[in-house]
Amino acid sequence: MRSYDHPLQMAHLVAARSRLLTDRTAYLNASTGEALRWTDLDSLTRRWRVLANDFRLPGRSRIGLAIADPVAFAGSYIACLAAGLSAVPIDPREPAADVLATTARLRADVLATDRDDLLDSVTPHPVWRASAGDVHPLRGAPSDVWPS
């Protein structure tokens, strides 16, 4: 297997699991009982792939994941990898200034988070809101970030 085939194969695996195990659990947070189903993970994977394309993110672009919710983190992590992006976990418990400094130090292209205080922070990086079932760009239009 060539290394650049990995994301596509991972996306196909998630899609196949979604078709075969429609309402089965892909990830379970045992402490809260919150679950991410295979169909939800497939939808999230597709969403990340669309955003990567819309934002013209080159393959293996770094996505900083400062996500406190374990289900949202797991889904976003897998979806990033399946979209051909590099998921860079950042400790969401750190103060906002430290998360932003880490994002810059790691040269992340996008910061995905579920923390409200980071969603309004001033940062040169696009900021996306991540949840267990979706991700939404909040700042940084594609034309503002990467040249054509």
Side-chain angles (χ1 to χ4, degrees):
M1 174 175 78
R2 296 175 304 220
S3 63
Y4 55 84
D5 289 336
H6 175 70
L8 186 57
Q9 290 175 350
M10 190 168 185
H12 286 300
L13 172 67
V14 170
R17 289 284 195 165
S18 174
R19 285 190 304 276
L20 294 172
L21 306 170
T22 307
D23 287 326
R24 301 283 300 272
T25 299
Y27 177 82
L28 174 68
N29 180 347
S31 64
T32 65
E34 184 182 8
L36 184 65
R37 298 174 306 149
W38 281 106
T39 52
D40 299 331
L41 185 56
D42 184 39
S43 295
L44 190 58
T45 297
R46 292 172 191 271
R47 176 72 173 142
W48 275 94
R49 288 177 66 104
V50 166
L51 287 174
N53 185 52
D54 288 352
F55 275 71
R56 297 184 301 282
L57 291 172
R60 298 186 180 166
S61 291
R62 293 182 181 108
I63 308 298
L65 300 177
I67 303 171
D69 176 3
V71 175
F73 174 81
S76 293
Y77 188 88
I78 293 168
C80 277
L81 297 178
L85 304 169
S86 297
V88 181
I90 299 172
D91 189 346
R93 299 168 297 184
E94 294 293 324
D98 291 348
V99 170
L100 296 175
T102 300
T103 302
R105 188 175 61 253
L106 295 172
R107 297 180 313 175
D109 298 297
V110 172
L111 173 62
T113 186
D114 58 354
R115 285 182 45 179
D116 290 335
D117 62 329
L118 290 173
L119 296 172
D120 296 325
S121 297
V122 176
T123 174
H125 310 285
V127 178
W128 298 354
R129 175 185 287 280
S131 65
D134 204 359
V135 60
H136 296 284
L138 296 179
R139 276 203 323 278
S143 60
D144 295 341
V145 183
W146 294 275
S148 301

